[in-house]
Each structure stands twice: as structure tokens, then as C-alpha cells.
Amino acid sequence: MSKIVIIGNGISGVTAARHIRKNSDNEIVIISAESEHFFSRTALMYVFMGHMRFQDIKPYEDYFWEKNRIDLVFDYVNHIDTDSKILEMKGGSKITYDKLVLAVGSKPNKFGWPGQDLPGVQGLYTYQDLETIEENAKTAKHAVIVGGGLIGIELAEMMHSRGIETTFLVRESKFWRSVLPEEDGDLITRHIIDHKVDLRLNTELTEIIAGDDGRVKAVKTSEGDIVECQIVGLTAGVSPNVEFVKASKIEVDRGIKVNEFCETNIQDVYAIGDCAQFNESINGRRTIEQVWYTGRIMGETVAQTICGNKMPYNPGPWFNSAKFFDIEYQTYGLVLANREENENSFFWEHPKGKISVHVVWDKASGEFIGINTFGIRMRHDIFDKWLKEKVSVDVVMSELRSANFDPEFYRTYEKEIVDQFNSKTGRNVELKAKQWWRNLLAK
Amino acid sequence: MKNLKKIGFVVFMLGIVLFIGNIFMGEYKFDGDKIRSHFDSTPDVFDKGDSIASGFIDAVQQYEATNSAPTTNIVTFNAALPQIIDRHNHNVSDALAATEGLSSDDVQSVVSGANQESGIVYSEEVIRGALGDNENKVKMLVDNTSWMYTDQRDFADVAEFESTLQSKVDELNGSVGTQYHISKEKWSLLDINKAMVESGAKTSTWLWFFLTFGLIIIGSVIYNGTNYKILGEAGIKNDGIYHESATNRGWVAWIVLLFLVGFYVALYFFPQYIANAVLLVDPVSEGLSGNPASQWFLYGFIYCVAMSVMAIRMYIKYRHNRYQIFRTTVVLFFQIAFAFIIPELLVRFNMPYYDFKNAWPLDYDFFFTYNIESLIDNGTLGIFMLVWGIILTLIIVPIMVYFFGKRWYCSWVCGCGGLAETLGDPYRQLSNKKMWAWKLERYLIYSVLVFAVIMTGLVLYTFFTGSGSLFGIDTYYISVVYGFLIGSIFSGVIGTGFYPIFGNRTWCRFGCPLAAYMGIVQRFKSRFRITTNGGQCISCGNCSTYCEQGIDVRAYAQKGQNIVRSSCVGCGVCSAVCPRGVLKLENGPEENRFGNEGPIVLGNDGFELNK
Ligand SMILES: Cc1cc2nc3c(=O)[nH]c(=O)nc-3n(C[C@H](O)[C@H](O)[C@H](O)COP(=O)(O)OP(=O)(O)OC[C@H]3O[C@@H](n4cnc5c(N)ncnc54)[C@H](O)[C@@H]3O)c2cc1C
Ligand code: SF4
Ligand code: SF4
């Protein structure tokens, strides 16, 4: 029996712990300086908006940890001594380990803007950020959000829910244009404007200006405008939270360097989740992926390795989802912001402009490459299969009805989509009747 | 818009205040003539009407002689009413005893007839000898004093015989005219209150109907309707739910609770105190069934109104979600048509009152003797209703649950469910998600089911054998206990009264025996499940929070498992609030119904366990 210490109680660390417990009798310790118990970072916005209380975003009841013999330490790790396998804690104590898992997550990017550390300027990542924004929102009338990504739009929605006017500075020509194709970005951009957000495209932050009270008073944009505000939300991406690891012997680049087994350069030390950087791309994925489910998969995987069943990280085809105000977004496979040479694509949009589908396939072979949907839910299982089997785009289009995951009685648009697909691409797809989706899987 | 919403709120509150005020208004007067007309439907009473009326007036005077309290308001009136009824019943018997009872002369002639040389002789012959000319009187003594016949017992002397006879005669005289006694049952107290109050509700019923129900309806339609603009674009709008006192167990919630609980307590146990409210719906009731309203009619009416105005709220809140729109419409239809209008119309056409969709054991008194008898007495239609009720429970319910899950009943048809999904929707997040609550749920709901089955079995035993007890258990008593504890306290006072604190499905989750029965079918033999969409779950917790049944949906979704739970009523709200499109209510082949059985969620191709 060995003592396994996990730093970080986010999704990756907690998943690792759960699976280590499932597979072994090892002693397990989870250390975190953020919160006593695991909570869902992705749901912080809902606490602010009053959809849930903090206790509701904790996926496990508090008794869970003791019942599963997972010891929790609420403290900060100052230093990792890999030679003697000792962690030096901020609280003064020392914790020994046999195996160490680093699941220390990310931190918001700051690009050295003047005034970026003023009171009223903040990111949205931690529980503490949530407390800060509660405080800041009490008196704020106007907020400026910097950075047009997923967390930025969440912050905009949060402000909107409290009636705080919001200016949203986005560097690109459309919202999230670095990830979304033109048409998709356009749809969400319009939706943001519909919500009375003062969206400023092609605009960057140049300076944050302090008032007499030392708090933020306004920002200056690259267009030279001054926008008065009491809150500045910095949401220009996140990067691995590795500062405190750098003083140790563990190799760090942008993230903590790991091989396909999530092993670092030091024996018995692993890194998973947002903070891990793979030496090379696995299954064509980026070497750092900061999403919920990749952290979970790494946790599932590293637990196997730690319990003696050595296992490489092997994620399936890319997928993801998000919600932009009222519009849900799902993606399966790769729909790039800008189409590659070899790719063809088809975009369908509902006349009211809130629902769309964007499909990409290989020009030459017709192989399906990816799909973005807005306002339509799709079935992960089926797309996972299609992507693995590299089916033709015609198969995808003809079976759209069975792949739909919208709630019962929803109006569906497969007919319109396929008709338009045929007329725009000259292909000749026949839309099939809906069948029980598992039959499709079994094929 | 926001201002309009405020106006709506003010109008609504005004309606509520007037509704409560109305209950306590009016002048209450004890009135002998009204008592007389109370009995007018019994034809042979006319010649006795005077003594009944004067019996009542005397009772009032006797009461006022010893109690100085004025009897003009609802409280003092109802404090005095039971005592006055007692006296009235006594007075009526006294008055009628003179003509229909046995006078002291009668007693004397029997005594002298019995006092024979050989000693005391008492027999039918003696009675006839003394009172032969009056068959009524003979019958009274023959029927009630045969145990005194001297072929069975002896009397020491005349004095003993006389005193025994006299006390029995007093007793008999006291029960003369019981058919003209006033009942002290709740329905009777309510009737008397309705008859004797002089109030706006009685004299200008429609005006007061407008000032109460009218304002409440107008106000809440405005209040809910303005949300169409205020909430902005269609979509899930749960902003601020946990910031607001009304929906986060704050003081507003407690006030609403007090109001609801108070209403239920009055309805079930003290209907006489809401006579004015019942008067308001008399015209509606007369229009439907031809009879004046009872408290149950008032309840049905309020139920329909509450569901309708809150359905508007649902239509706006979920206007992007056709599952919710359809479901709300259907459940509203079943309430208004099947639970409210059709039974009243049946009564109008002299058919038995019957709610065709109410299935035993939720409809716990379906097999009560009076119900079976009244159905059987009603010929073909009654028999059909009886058979339908049995088929509904034994065949239709399980088959429908097999194909669609218990949602077909719980959130598409049932009245309790309908109220929970409309009036109760703002409170759905308050259900307890803790593991101990799930345990409690399983203990409680199956206990109620067992209780309902045993109780019904005993009642049926009595129906078929005529014996009132089995294994020393009094079957009537046990059915009364069930009605009180489960039928009134659990399903009404706690089930609905506690919406603002315990959430909207307390009864459906912890108490309903029909839900327990359907839950077993749903869990073990059904095509229904909530499918989890592969690896898309981000463990945010919206689904669990808004599950009115307290199911920890997230616990399944984040593991890639489907949700197959006996308590799920298929409201579809978990699926609606999920921001990542993870959940879908589906009917399909039972194979693979539980989804991912292994520990690894879709998206991880690393390994598959359990394979
Ligand atoms: C607002 C927001 C919304 C998001 N929404 C989505 C989404 O919709 N979908 C999606 O896929 N992803 C989303 N993400 C990203 C996702 O939350 C992250 O990828 C994921 O939480 C990373 O998990 P992790 O376990 O790697 O690290 P984290 O969750 O960051 O956990 C790391 C933990 O380690 C602790 N820690 C770090 N250093 C130390 C130390 N020295 N001592 C002690 N403790 C330490 C930290 O305090 C933290 O608690 C969102 C992120 C944010 C911030
Ligand atoms: S699990 Fe979903 S559908 Fe079932 S009762 Fe709960 S919220 Fe409703
Ligand atoms: S609401 Fe959706 S994403 Fe959130 S925990 Fe439930 S299933 Fe997962």
C-alpha cells in the first residue's frame, strides 16, 4: 500500500482519486488551497446568477470523501521536494508521498496591462473570484470584459443577469472567431448584441485607469475610447498554473511536461488536467487542452497507471459544448475557424438566426470531419462512432434524424437542412426516417 | 413592463386581501325560519315546522341567557353553534314528544296495567292493554323494552319497575324526531353558516366574485404575462431564484406557507369558517351541477384557477420547449375537464360523481362501501365506472408505464402532479437531494402503499362479509385513520401547504401510493429512461437542483449512465435546464436501458472495463 498525494481538487485530481480508490486500497490524500471540497468550476456562473447555491455545485456530498477514505487537506503547497518526496505546506507542515499527482489547473492570463492589479479588476476562475465578483457587483453600474472567449461570454451573461451594463472588448472580428467559423461567430455575435451588450469587435484593452479611491474607474481601448466602469473582467484565456512547480526539479514548459502516461520527468510524479503539457500531440490533439472532460479522462487514465495497469492517454474524437446566453452549442470532430485547403463545408441557418448547423468534410474523399450545431442537440455516441469509422458526410446527413438529441416534440429541421445541403453541394443525400439510435450504433 | 408587472402584483395582492377579508365579513344571525326552510325538502315536516323553528329560537334564547357573548361574527357564531344545535335537538325532541312520544299518563297506565295481583307482569299484551289505541306508542315500547318482559326477569316492586320504565321512556322521548335534528358534521355546519350569514358574498355574489377571484386572476395574468417581455429571449431563465426570499425559503416563503396551510386546514377540518368563500362559487356550481357549492367545489374551482394562471407562467417560461408546452396543456385539460367539469355534469344528470382519470390507490376511497354501493345502485353506468376503475389500476396504468414511464400519469394527467407542475414550479429547486432523503423516500412511499393496500383490503372484507372487523382491527376506523393521515394531512396540508419550503412534489415523492406502484413498474419493466449524452456532462448541477423529485441526476450523468429511477416523474425539466444538452427523456427498447455500466465515460478511448 502506498501513499498517493494529489495536488488539486478539481475534476482531474478528483477523478484520479475516485478511480484509484476503485482499483486499489492505497492511501489517498487530496490537497487544495481553494476550497475544502470539490466543486464544479464550470458552474460558478450559475451561483452568481442565483440558479444554484454553492453547495449545489458540489458534485458529491461532504460525507463522500470520508466514506471513500480520501483524506482532504485544505492548504497550499509551497514547494515540492522530489528528492525526499516531501511537500512543504504554507501552513508549515510537511506531507510525504510515495506517488504525486499534479492536478493544479490553470490561472487567468494577464498580459501586463497597466492597472491590471487594481481593485475591481479580476478574472473568473476560482471560488475566491466568485466571492470577489459578488462584492464588486454590489455597487457596480458598468463592467468591461476583456477577451472574447467562453469565460468572457459567461461573465457577460452574469453581469446581464444583475442588470449591470456591459462593454465587451473582443480582439477578433467576431465573437470567438479564433475558434468559430465566420458564420457561426456571426450568429453568436448577433445574439450577444440582442442582449444589449455593448460589443466592441476588433478592439483591445490598452490601459486600466484608477480613480481617486484607488479602484478601477475606466478602461482605455485600442480605439482610444475611454469606458467608465467599476468592474473589469479579464478573460483573455488561461494558462497552466505552474509557477510554484518551477522551483522543483519537475520539468516545466508552458505546462508540466508529461509523456503519454502523464508521467513527468521525475519518477512517481504525474501531471493531469489543465496543467499538463504533453511532449507531443496525442491523437492529433493540442498538447495542452483546458477542458473539463480531458481533465476527467486524464484522471481516469492516470489512476490505471498508478494502480499498476499502465495505460497511455488516449482520448477519442474531439467534442465539446457550451452555451452562449440562450443558445446551446455542440461540436463533434473538428470544425476549424478557417477551412483547410482540402475541406468543404456546408452551413445552414434557420431564418430567425438562432439555430444553425455547420458541417465539414474532405473534398476528395467525402469523409466527414466535423459538425458545429447551435440550438440543436446531437447525440455524442453516434458522432463518436461516425468519426472513428470515418464515414462519408452523406451518411451523416442522411441519418441526421436519428442523431438528433433534442427533447421530445421539438421542431426539427432535418428536411430543410438536407434539402439545402443537396442543392448547395450538388450531392444527392436521401434523408432517412428516424430509427432507434442504438440500432445505428450496432451497425 | 416592470411597472405593469408591479401593477399586476398589486391587483393580485388586493384580490388575496379581499378574499381573506371576505371570509371574515358579514353578519351572522341565528334564524329559526332558515332552519325551518332547511327542512322544507322533507314534505311531512310542514306541520312540524313550527315546533322545529321555535325549538331553534328557544335554543338560541337559552344560549343567550347563559352566554352574554354576541353571536354576530364568524368566530362567536361558530363558537355558539354546536351548543345551540345540541339544545335545538333537545328542544325538538321535547316538543314532539308530546304528540309522538310517551307522556307521563301513558307511563302511568302501563304501570297500573303491569301491577297485577300476582306481582309485576310486563309483556306485549300488557302494553297493548294499556296503549292499544295508539299503534305508534305500542311499537315504541315493544321494539325497545322487550328486555324488561317479566318472562325474562323479575322486578322487586312497582317502584323499581316504574323507575326502570320511566328512564327508558325518557331516553326514547329524547330521540323522538331525530330526523329533525341538526347534524354537527362539518358539512352541516358549513350549510348553516352559508344559510345564516348576511354578507356581500351572499347578497352581491358576482361583485364579490370579481373583487376576489376576478382581481386575483387579472393580477396574476398581468404579473405572469409581463414575463414575456421581461425575461427577454426564450430560454432558461432561472436568474435570481436563490436570491429571492419567495423561492429560497425566506420570509415570503413562510407567509405563503401559512396561507396555504391555513387554507388546507380550513378546507379539511373547519369548512364552516370559509362559508363566505364557498358562497362566491355557488352560482358556478349551480350552473354546472345544479347544486349549491360545497367546500370541495370551492377547492376544485380554486385548483383550476391556480393551475390555469400558473400555466400561463409555464407557457412563457418554457416557450422554447415544446415538451413543456404540450405537457402543461394536457395536464391542465385533464384537471379542468376530468377532475372538475365532468364529475359535476354527471351529478347534474343524476349520475354518480366520478373522476375517470383518478386511479386507485391515489383515489383511496374508490373501494369504500358507500362508493361501491352508489356505483352499483346506478345501473349500467355505475357498473361501468366500477369496472373502469379496476381496469385503470390493474391494466391501463402498468401498460402505459411500460411504454412511456410513469410520467404519462404523474406529469401529464394527474391533478396533484398538475398543481405541482404549475403552481409548484417556482419551488421545484427546494426538493432535498441528500442521500438520506432518498432513503426516507423509499421507506415512506412504500409504507403508504402497503397501508393503502391493507386498508382497502379490510374495507373490501367488510363489504363482502358484512363483518366490521378482521383480526380485531376495526375496518372503518382504519379507513378513517388513512383518510385523515394520508388523505388530508400528507397529501394536502404537507403536500401542497409546504410547497414553499419542501418543494412542489413532497406528496408525489414521499407519499403517493399510486406513484409507488408505478415506480416499481418504471424501475423494473419499462421502456422509459433519461439518456445521458456520452461525455458531454460538466457536472454543473443544474439538473439535480431543478429535479423536483430530488433525484441526483448529475450523479448519473457525469458517469455517462442513464437515469432509471422509480421516482422520476418525467417532468423533463432536468433536460430543459441542462446547459450542455446532456439529457433526453426517451422511450425505447429495454436493452441497454441503463446506458454506460462501466466506470469510463464516452470520449476516453483508452480502455474499456467490464468488457
Ligand atoms: C468559469 C469557467 C467555465 C468553464 N466552463 C467550461 C465548460 O463549460 N466546459 C469545459 O469543458 N471546460 C470549462 N472550463 C474549464 C474547466 O473548468 C477546466 O478545464 C477544469 O476545471 C480543469 O480542471 P483541473 O482539475 O485540471 O484543474 P482545476 O479545476 O483548476 O483544479 C486545480 C486545483 O488545484 C489547486 N491548486 C493549484 N496549485 C495548488 C497548490 N500549490 N497547493 C494547493 N492547491 C493548489 C487549485 O486551487 C485548484 O483548486 C471552465 C473554466 C472556468 C474557469
Ligand atoms: S429526473 Fe428529470 S424528468 Fe425525472 S423528475 Fe427529475 S427533473 Fe423531472
Ligand atoms: S445539467 Fe447537464 S451538464 Fe449539468 S450536471 Fe446535469 S447533465 Fe451535467
Side-chain angles (χ1 to χ4, degrees):
Chain A
M1 202 181 93
S2 44
K3 177 174 178 183
I4 304 189
V5 175
I6 299 167
I7 309 181
N9 68 348
I11 179 65
S12 57
V14 161
T15 309
R18 278 180 42 235
H19 283 262
I20 293 169
R21 175 52 70 242
K22 250 186 195 126
N23 292 301
S24 77
D25 223 19
N26 290 318
E27 184 181 346
I28 303 173
V29 180
I30 301 183
I31 304 172
S32 169
E34 185 183 5
S35 60
E36 224 167 311
H37 299 106
F38 170 47
F39 69 91
S40 179
R41 201 174 292 300
T42 55
L44 283 174
M45 64 180 293
Y46 297 110
V47 177
F48 181 84
M49 299 199 300
H51 294 209
M52 290 186 269
R53 299 159 298 179
F54 180 68
Q55 69 210 66
D56 299 319
I57 69 168
K58 293 196 279 188
Y60 303 97
E61 278 186 63
D62 292 349
Y63 70 78
F64 176 88
W65 309 102
E66 202 182 311
K67 186 175 158 231
N68 287 287
R69 289 174 292 123
I70 295 173
D71 298 334
L72 304 179
V73 175
F74 188 36
D75 200 350
Y76 186 78
V77 179
N78 271 337
H79 181 66
I80 305 168
D81 179 350
T82 50
D83 293 335
S84 43
K85 294 192 165 183
I86 285 179
L87 306 178
E88 290 165 19
M89 309 299 293
K90 194 174 189 182
S93 61
K94 290 183 165 37
I95 295 177
T96 60
Y97 67 83
D98 296 320
K99 291 184 179 177
L100 179 67
V101 179
L102 297 169
V104 293
S106 313
K107 56 175 187 3
N109 290 334
K110 291 184 178 180
F111 292 114
W113 293 291
Q116 66 180 16
D117 294 319
L118 285 174
V121 182
Q122 68 164 127
L124 176 67
Y125 192 87
T126 61
Y127 175 65
Q128 286 69 31
D129 290 337
L130 176 70
E131 292 181 315
T132 314
I133 200 161
E134 272 295 350
E135 212 39 58
N136 288 339
K138 277 188 187 145
T139 50
K141 296 246 176 328
H142 200 106
V144 172
I145 296 165
V146 182
L150 292 174
I151 301 180
I153 196 169
E154 285 187 4
L155 207 48
E157 191 176 347
M158 288 159 66
M159 294 297 114
H160 180 76
S161 79
R162 297 265 181 111
I164 299 172
E165 289 165 28
T166 305
T167 300
F168 195 4
L169 307 186
V170 173
R171 193 177 52 184
E172 291 79 17
S173 61
K174 292 273 146 64
F175 169 75
W176 215 25
R177 183 67 180 86
S178 53
V179 174
L180 295 178
E182 179 78 20
E183 300 91 330
D184 304 28
D186 192 48
L187 184 140
I188 299 302
T189 301
R190 280 181 272 129
H191 191 59
I192 294 171
I193 295 168
D194 283 349
H195 281 87
K196 313 250 177 334
V197 173
D198 168 27
L199 180 65
R200 307 206 182 172
L201 300 167
N202 302 309
T203 307
E204 289 182 64
L205 171 70
T206 50
E207 190 189 339
I208 303 171
I209 304 161
D212 296 338
D213 56 355
R215 294 182 63 86
V216 56
K217 182 181 123 203
V219 300
K220 192 169 175 194
T221 73
S222 54
E223 305 285 289
D225 296 333
I226 306 274
V227 183
E228 292 215 6
C229 60
Q230 298 75 42
I231 295 180
V232 175
L234 299 180
T235 60
V238 297
S239 40
N241 170 29
V242 289
E243 253 352 277
F244 82 103
V245 186
K246 283 182 178 161
S248 74
K249 291 187 175 165
I250 302 165
E251 190 190 346
V252 173
D253 177 30
R254 275 169 48 235
I256 301 168
K257 299 281 282 181
V258 291
N259 63 14
E260 61 194 312
F261 299 103
C262 300
E263 295 168 328
T264 65
N265 61 319
I266 308 285
Q267 171 114 43
D268 291 335
V269 179
Y270 307 81
I272 55 175
D274 275 22
C275 67
Q277 178 183 359
F278 288 95
N279 293 328
E280 49 207 60
S281 159
I282 291 174
N283 300 352
R285 283 167 171 253
R286 284 175 292 131
T287 53
I288 303 180
E289 275 181 348
Q290 289 141 322
V291 288
W292 186 260
Y293 77 87
T294 52
R296 193 194 61 228
I297 296 178
M298 288 183 222
E300 290 167 355
T301 309
V302 83
Q304 294 294 320
T305 301
I306 285 175
C307 296
N309 176 23
K310 199 162 178 176
M311 185 74 63
Y313 176 55
N314 182 17
W318 172 255
F319 67 92
N320 204 6
S321 53
K323 191 172 179 187
F324 308 108
F325 285 93
D326 301 312
I327 299 184
E328 288 177 22
Y329 153 74
Q330 291 192 338
T331 185
Y332 299 98
L334 287 182
V335 178
L336 300 176
N338 297 300
R339 208 185 328 141
E340 299 275 323
E341 263 305 293
N342 65 315
E343 291 177 347
N344 236 337
S345 75
F346 163 71
F347 179 79
W348 172 88
E349 189 178 288
H350 184 270
K352 288 199 179 138
K354 306 269 180 204
I355 306 173
S356 74
V357 173
H358 204 144
V359 189
V360 178
W361 66 95
D362 185 82
K363 264 184 196 161
S365 65
E367 178 190 326
F368 170 66
I369 294 175
I371 186 168
N372 277 356
T373 62
F374 292 84
I376 298 181
R377 296 175 175 180
M378 289 290 175
R379 229 178 258 274
H380 185 188
D381 300 67
I382 288 183
F383 277 98
D384 189 69
K385 175 190 151 92
W386 282 340
L387 287 162
K388 279 181 195 150
E389 291 177 354
K390 303 187 187 312
V391 300
S392 147
V393 66
D394 296 352
V395 171
V396 174
M397 296 310 282
S398 69
E399 297 285 9
L400 268 189
R401 281 191 172 133
S402 308
N404 183 296
F405 197 75
D406 280 337
E408 293 154 300
F409 305 120
Y410 264 44
R411 212 169 256 125
T412 56
Y413 303 98
E414 288 90 13
K415 179 95 177 64
E416 289 94 315
I417 294 170
V418 170
D419 283 351
Q420 207 180 59
F421 175 78
N422 284 338
S423 73
K424 273 205 181 156
T425 63
R427 298 178 89 98
N428 192 11
V429 168
E430 198 185 318
L431 183 62
K432 292 195 181 148
K434 187 180 177 109
Q435 58 172 316
W436 179 237
W437 61 282
R438 283 203 164 273
N439 297 343
L440 218 65
L441 278 193
K443 263 193 204 140
Chain B
M1 263 307 149
K2 290 226 167 93
N3 285 333
L4 189 58
K5 183 168 182 150
K6 280 186 196 140
I7 292 172
F9 182 74
V10 170
V11 172
F12 170 79
M13 283 311 295
L14 190 64
I16 292 283
V17 168
L18 288 172
F19 180 83
I20 297 174
N22 166 58
I23 290 175
F24 295 101
M25 284 192 328
E27 203 178 323
Y28 286 72
K29 256 209 251 94
F30 292 106
D31 185 331
D33 287 340
K34 284 190 176 135
I35 285 297
R36 187 204 308 225
S37 63
H38 192 69
F39 289 100
D40 271 357
S41 49
T42 345
D44 70 278
V45 85
F46 278 112
D47 56 331
K48 301 184 176 96
D50 285 338
S51 46
I52 292 167
S54 68
F56 193 80
I57 297 300
D58 288 350
V60 175
Q61 278 163 2
Q62 285 158 8
Y63 177 85
E64 282 172 349
T66 45
N67 298 271
S68 53
T71 53
T72 51
N73 71 45
I74 183 173
V75 178
T76 49
F77 179 84
N78 279 298
L81 186 56
Q83 301 176 45
I84 289 178
I85 291 175
D86 279 341
R87 285 171 201 262
H88 162 87
N89 292 347
H90 187 82
N91 293 349
V92 166
S93 290
D94 266 5
L96 296 181
T99 48
E100 291 174 28
L102 294 149
S103 64
S104 40
D105 284 352
D106 295 334
V107 173
Q108 277 318 311
S109 62
V110 174
V111 170
S112 62
N115 192 3
Q116 296 177 8
E117 266 161 44
S118 53
I120 305 288
V121 177
Y122 187 53
S123 64
E124 187 171 340
E125 199 183 325
V126 172
I127 298 171
R128 284 200 182 283
L131 306 168
D133 51 342
N134 188 326
E135 192 52 35
N136 270 345
K137 294 181 179 178
V138 170
K139 191 165 183 307
M140 251 168 115
L141 284 185
V142 170
D143 286 353
N144 294 294
T145 61
S146 59
W147 54 275
M148 286 173 61
Y149 290 171
T150 40
D151 54 358
Q152 289 175 34
R153 56 164 295 174
D154 289 327
F155 290 94
D157 51 27
V158 183
E160 192 201 349
F161 174 71
E162 187 174 346
S163 73
T164 312
L165 185 66
Q166 186 63 55
S167 68
K168 187 67 201 168
V169 164
D170 287 346
E171 197 187 313
L172 291 175
N173 284 347
S175 59
V176 162
T178 33
Q179 65 270 44
Y180 312 118
H181 283 186
I182 298 173
S183 162
K184 285 201 294 181
E185 295 284 334
K186 285 176 289 206
W187 58 265
S188 165
L189 298 180
L190 171 62
D191 277 354
I192 294 173
N193 271 268
K194 278 178 75 182
M196 301 210 180
V197 68
E198 286 304 329
S199 65
K202 190 178 225 166
T203 48
S204 1
T205 308
W206 283 115
L207 174 68
W208 276 93
F209 184 88
F210 174 78
L211 289 176
T212 54
F213 288 114
L215 293 186
I216 289 173
I217 292 170
I218 293 170
S220 42
V221 167
I222 295 176
Y223 184 83
N224 287 330
T226 49
N227 280 346
Y228 187 79
K229 277 273 178 277
I230 291 172
L231 290 182
E233 303 220 358
I236 292 301
K237 296 293 148 70
N238 287 333
D239 293 353
I241 284 188
Y242 272 107
H243 299 150
E244 295 201 5
S245 160
T247 48
N248 188 25
R249 301 197 177 108
W251 63 272
V252 178
W254 285 101
I255 288 180
V256 176
L257 177 139
L258 274 183
F259 177 74
L260 291 174
V261 167
F263 176 73
Y264 273 95
V265 169
L267 186 71
Y268 284 125
F269 307 115
F270 305 102
Q272 65 269 32
Y273 287 95
I274 50 173
N276 269 323
V278 177
L279 280 169
L280 293 177
V281 292
D282 261 349
V284 185
S285 178
E286 267 149 19
L288 278 171
S289 69
N291 299 325
S294 68
Q295 75 269 38
W296 303 118
F297 184 87
L298 173 71
Y299 183 42
F301 181 79
I302 292 180
Y303 211 101
C304 292
V305 167
M307 273 182 65
S308 304
V309 296
M310 291 302 277
I312 296 175
R313 178 183 162 281
M314 291 295 282
Y315 287 139
I316 291 171
K317 179 166 183 184
Y318 294 106
R319 62 187 186 275
H320 58 293
N321 188 320
R322 298 222 294 174
Y323 183 79
Q324 300 303 332
I325 303 277
F326 286 11
R327 190 174 67 87
T328 304
T329 308
V330 171
V331 80
L332 189 62
F333 165 78
F334 272 102
Q335 170 60 30
I336 294 177
F338 280 71
F340 187 61
I341 293 180
I342 295 177
E344 296 292 336
L345 290 182
L346 286 171
V347 171
R348 154 153 250 148
F349 297 107
N350 290 324
M351 291 182 260
Y353 181 98
Y354 188 57
D355 175 353
F356 282 93
K357 63 160 180 52
N358 201 2
W360 180 89
L362 173 58
D363 184 10
Y364 64 90
D365 51 7
F366 184 71
F367 292 108
F368 281 12
T369 306
Y370 68 79
N371 192 48
I372 301 184
E373 276 172 354
S374 96
L375 291 180
I376 292 176
D377 287 349
N378 256 280
T380 329
L381 181 71
I383 304 280
F384 168 75
M385 288 168 174
L386 193 58
V387 173
W388 166 258
I390 295 168
I391 292 179
L392 182 61
T393 297
L394 292 184
I395 299 173
I396 299 177
V397 162
I399 288 183
M400 292 290 282
V401 176
Y402 171 73
F403 281 107
F404 305 110
K406 77 189 207 189
R407 56 181 171 153
W408 83 271
Y409 197 87
C410 298
S411 24
W412 286 76
V413 170
C414 179
C416 305
L419 193 69
E421 296 291 347
T422 48
L423 182 66
D425 182 72
Y427 304 114
R428 55 172 51 253
Q429 68 282 357
L430 301 173
S431 61
N432 192 318
K433 318 301 186 308
K434 298 249 165 63
M435 184 59 89
W436 66 257
W438 184 16
K439 284 199 181 123
L440 178 70
E441 164 194 321
R442 283 173 290 178
Y443 280 117
L444 268 181
I445 196 166
Y446 296 115
S447 308
V448 174
L449 177 60
V450 169
F451 188 9
V453 170
I454 292 178
M455 182 274 290
T456 305
L458 289 172
V459 168
L460 282 175
Y461 174 82
T462 298
F463 178 77
F464 287 114
T465 64
S467 149
S469 73
L470 183 66
F471 309 125
I473 308 172
D474 181 336
T475 63
Y476 176 72
Y477 177 72
I478 201 132
S479 71
V480 170
V481 169
Y482 187 96
F484 175 75
L485 284 183
I486 311 295
S488 306
I489 300 286
F490 203 161
S491 80
V493 179
I494 297 177
T496 305
F498 276 71
Y499 273 4
I501 299 301
F502 290 161
N504 55 335
R505 284 268 193 184
T506 308
W507 161 249
C508 313
R509 178 184 182 193
F510 295 99
C512 175
L514 180 61
Y517 163 44
M518 293 193 291
I520 296 171
V521 181
Q522 168 158 296
R523 174 67 181 68
F524 295 105
K525 192 74 195 158
S526 169
R527 290 163 57 89
F528 172 71
R529 88 292 314 267
I530 302 176
T531 302
T532 287
N533 201 8
Q536 288 281 24
C537 174
I538 53 165
S539 302
C540 70
N542 275 297
C543 52
S544 298
T545 302
Y546 287 91
C547 176
E548 54 192 354
Q549 287 290 72
I551 297 172
D552 191 358
V553 182
R554 165 175 58 193
Y556 302 87
Q558 65 190 359
K559 286 192 273 187
Q561 294 170 352
N562 294 347
I563 295 92
V564 179
R565 276 278 291 268
S566 54
S567 62
C568 171
V569 291
C571 64
V573 169
C574 54
S575 163
V577 296
C578 174
R580 294 294 178 271
V582 179
L583 305 163
K584 178 170 166 72
L585 284 67
E586 290 192 301
N587 313 309
E590 285 175 85
E591 189 195 5
N592 252 316
R593 188 170 165 239
F594 292 80
N596 177 27
E597 302 285 301
I600 303 305
V601 185
L602 188 68
N604 185 355
D605 284 354
F607 51 100
E608 288 187 64
L609 298 178
N610 297 359
K611 273 215 171 157

